[in-house]
Amino acid sequence: MKILYTIAFTMLIAVIVFLFGEKNIGITSTTASSKNSVWVEQKLASMTLREKIAQMMISNSLGYTLDKNSKEYRKLKSLVQDSKIGGFIFFQGRSVEEAELINDLQSMSETPLLMSADFERGTKMRLEDGSLFPSNMSLGATRDPQLAYEMGFQIAQECRAIGIHQNYAPVVDINNNPLNPIINVRSFGEDPDLVSQMGDMMINGLQDGNVIATAKHFPGHGDTDIDSHSDLPIIKYGKDRLDRVELIPFKNAIDSKVRSVMIAHLSFPQIDPEPNVPASLSSPIITGLLKEQLGFDGLVVTDALNMAGVTKHFSTDDVAVRCVKAGVDLILMPQGEEESISAIENAVKSGVISEERINESAAKILKAKEWLKLNESKIVDVNRVPAFVNNLKAVTISQKIADASITLVKNENAVPLNKMKAPGKYMLLSINNGNEKANSDLFISEFKNRAVTQFTDGIIYDVNGDIPAGTNSEILQAATNYDIVVIPIYAKVKIKTGTVGLPQSQLNIINSLVSAGKKVIVLSFGNPYLIQGFDGVSSYICAYSDSESSIKAGIGCLFGEQRFKGKLPVSISDKYKFGAGLLQ
C-alpha cells in the first residue's frame, strides 16, 4: 500500500510541477547552483557582489618575469589583490619566466586565477622557446584527425606545465571566403565535416590534457573580407545559412563537450537587428542561439575587447553591461577592469541585471577552476617546465603533420628536382608579402645544402614587400642565365593588415618570369589561394605554414626525398578544387 501511495504522490507532484512550475510549490530546482560542490558554494558565499563580478574579468599581460617595482607589476598585483579579477591572458614571454610570473600571481590570489593564452598553433605563438606546429589548414590537408588530437594533447601538456589552463583554440571557422584577411590558414578548411572532425579531435586532445578548449569564433568568422580587429564586419545572411554551414562545427564541438566558446565581433542583422551590435554583445546570438537553441552550457568568452569591431561603437561601460546581459561569462581584455566591474555592479544595483545572473557566471567560472583542480593545487613546478615545452615529442608530432600535409596542386614536369635530366642553374627568389618576418632563412639554408649536389650554379634574391622597379629589372635580367626559378612565398595572416595577398609588384615579377618562358616553381608557405594571381607557373605547392617542420617537409618533397601526401582542404581556384592533390 505504501508503494501505491508513493507512486500516486510522485505522479501528483509531477502534474503540479507541469502546471505551475517548480518555484511555485517550494520544490528545489535542478539549477546550476544546486549542483555546486561544497568548495564552489563556500567560495560564492564568501564573495561580495563586486568580487563575483570581478571573477568574470580576464585581463592581459606579457609573460615575462617582472621587476617588482615596475609599473606593470604593480598593476598586475593590484588587479589580483585589490580588484580580485578572475584571471589573465598572456601574449609573450619565455616558458620558465611565464611559469614564475604565473606562480607569483597565483600566490597573491585568494581564489585561484584562470590563466589563458592563444596557442592555436602551439606555445611558440606566444613563447620564444615554445613549440610550433603547422597551421590548422595543414591539418586539414592531412585528412588525419588523429594528428589533430596529438597536437591538442601536446599543447595541453605544455600549457599545464607553465600554468596555463585555457587555450583559445581551436578555430572552427569555415574558411569559405578566399579574401578573408584574418582566418585563412587558421581554419581547417572549407568543408563543415572536415572542420568538425579536426576540431572535435583537437578539443578532445586539449581537454584530455586537462586544459579548457575554446571553439571560436562563434557563430562563424570564415565568410568575411574584413578583419574584426580593424572594423565591425556585417554578415548579411541569416539563420538558415548558418545552420547549413557555419554552425555545423560548433554543434559538433558542443556534442564533444567543449568547455568554452569564444564569440566573434561580427554583426548579424538578420538575427540581431540592433545596428552595430557584434555577436559578442548580442543576447539573441549568445543566449538565444548558442545557449537555448544549441544547448551550450559551458563558459562563454568574448573575443578580445580591444578590437575595433567593439570599441568603434561602444564605450567601456556599455560593453561590460551588454556582455553580461547577452550571456557572457568571461569578459576578455576589458578596456578598464575597475571601470567595467563598477558598471556591472551599478547595473545590478539599479535592477538592470539580476544578481542571480552574476551568480550564474561566477559559479560556472569556479566550477571550471575546480575541474582544473586549481582548488587543490594552483602552483606549478618551474623546474619541470623545460621537460615539457617544445620537447622531442612536440617536434616529432609537428613534423608528422607537416610531412602529411604538403600538397602538390600543379606540376608540369617541374618537380621533384632530383628527376631533372641534367644539372642546371637555379634562381631562388624568396618573396615575403611584408606582413611579418617569415622563416625564409631556413628555407634558403636547406635549399642551398641540397642544391650543391643538384645544380651547377645558383643565385638567390630575398625580397620583402613591394619590389622597386630597379630590383625588378635586375631580377628579370639575371633570370635569363638560369634554367629554373624556385619561388617560396610567405603570405601570412597578420592582424590589421587587411590582406593575406601579395603586392602587385610581386605578382608582376612572377608573371614576367612565366612570360619569359622560365620553368617557375612556387611554394606557398601560407595563403594557399595565391595561384589565382599567377596560374601559368609550372608547379604550385601548398605548405600552408612557415613552421620549421613545414619548411623541412616542403624542401623534402621539392627534392624528391619524400612523397607529396596532402589534399587541398579548400578550393583555391576554379581549376583546383577541394580534395585536389597530385600524390607523387
Side-chain angles (χ1 to χ4, degrees), residues 1-13:
M1 185 64 71
K2 288 183 178 180
I3 294 174
L4 292 175
Y5 281 135
T6 300
I7 294 172
F9 179 75
T10 302
M11 292 177 65
L12 176 62
I13 291 297

Side-chain angles (χ1 to χ4, degrees), residues 14 35 205 209 251 262 325 344 381 393-394 398 424 429 460 518:
K35 297 179 182 178
K251 291 174 182 177
M262 177 178 282
K325 291 177 70 177
I344 297 168
D381 184 351
K393 187 173 182 181
S398 182
L429 174 59
I460 297 172
K518 292 299 171 183

Side-chain angles (χ1 to χ4, degrees), residues 225-474:
D225 57 4
I226 294 174
D227 178 359
S228 55
H229 293 84
S230 304
D231 205 344
L232 177 65
I234 297 175
I235 311 299
K236 295 182 180 179
Y237 52 78
K239 179 72 163 42
D240 289 347
R241 157 63 188 270
L242 288 171
D243 279 333
R244 291 195 312 273
V245 184
E246 281 79 10
L247 291 180
I248 291 174
F250 288 101
K251 291 174 182 177
N252 280 281
I254 292 168
D255 289 342
S256 292
K257 309 300 181 187
V258 69
R259 290 186 167 270
S260 180
V261 170
M262 177 178 282
I263 314 298
H265 301 318
L266 307 171
S267 173
F268 289 82
Q270 288 196 37
I271 300 174
D272 188 342
E274 186 177 353
N276 300 319
V277 174
S280 49
L281 306 182
S282 169
S283 181
I285 291 175
I286 297 175
T287 297
L289 181 55
L290 178 61
K291 293 184 174 182
E292 294 177 353
Q293 295 183 41
L294 300 188
F296 180 65
D297 60 2
L299 291 171
V300 177
V301 58
T302 65
D303 206 341
L305 292 173
N306 65 339
M307 293 164 62
V310 171
T311 59
K312 184 175 180 179
H313 301 287
F314 300 99
S315 68
T316 297
D317 286 15
D318 201 15
V319 166
V321 173
R322 282 176 175 267
C323 278
V324 179
K325 291 177 70 177
V328 168
D329 301 303
L330 297 172
I331 299 173
L332 182 61
M333 296 173 60
Q335 299 303 284
E337 294 83 359
E338 278 291 319
E339 183 180 346
S340 297
I341 294 168
S342 294
I344 297 168
E345 184 181 35
N346 291 335
V348 174
K349 290 180 177 179
S350 65
V352 173
I353 296 172
S354 70
E355 187 163 357
E356 286 75 17
R357 169 68 191 86
I358 302 301
N359 290 339
E360 175 192 333
S361 285
K364 285 167 68 176
I365 294 164
L366 291 171
K367 284 180 182 179
K369 293 178 178 182
E370 186 177 43
W371 178 79
L372 293 159
K373 300 189 186 310
L374 299 182
N375 56 318
E376 299 174 13
S377 176
K378 60 182 180 179
I379 303 297
V380 298
D381 184 351
V382 176
N383 294 323
R384 297 182 66 209
V385 170
F388 285 90
V389 175
N390 198 23
N391 58 18
L392 180 59
K393 187 173 182 181
V395 174
T396 301
I397 294 169
S398 182
Q399 198 61 56
K400 279 171 62 179
I401 296 168
D403 289 346
S405 71
I406 308 300
T407 308
L408 180 58
V409 176
K410 180 183 181 181
N411 190 30
E412 295 176 350
N413 299 315
V415 297
L417 295 179
N418 65 350
K419 291 187 177 179
M420 291 181 64
K421 292 182 179 179
K425 297 180 180 182
Y426 73 86
M427 172 184 281
L428 177 59
L429 174 59
S430 181
I431 290 179
N432 186 334
N433 70 348
N435 279 3
E436 187 175 295
K437 172 62 178 171
N439 212 355
S440 55
D441 292 344
L442 177 62
F443 182 92
I444 292 171
S445 173
E446 294 279 336
F447 187 94
K448 286 172 65 178
N449 287 342
R450 289 164 175 81
V452 293
T453 61
Q454 190 68 41
F455 297 95
T456 59
D457 192 15
I459 189 171
I460 297 172
Y461 289 92
D462 191 356
V463 300
N464 185 21
D466 270 315
I467 303 175
T471 303
N472 187 305
S473 299
E474 177 189 340

Side-chain angles (χ1 to χ4, degrees), residues 58-66 72-73 75-76 79 87-93 98 101 105 115-117 126 333 337:
I58 304 294
S59 189
N60 62 294
S61 176
L62 303 183
Y64 298 101
T65 302
L66 295 169
E72 175 70 7
Y73 183 84
K75 172 193 168 187
L76 299 183
L79 286 170
F88 291 90
I89 177 174
F90 297 94
F91 283 101
Q92 294 179 27
E98 187 158 300
L101 176 60
L105 296 173
M115 302 302 196
S116 57
R126 304 299 177 189
M333 296 173 60
E337 294 83 359

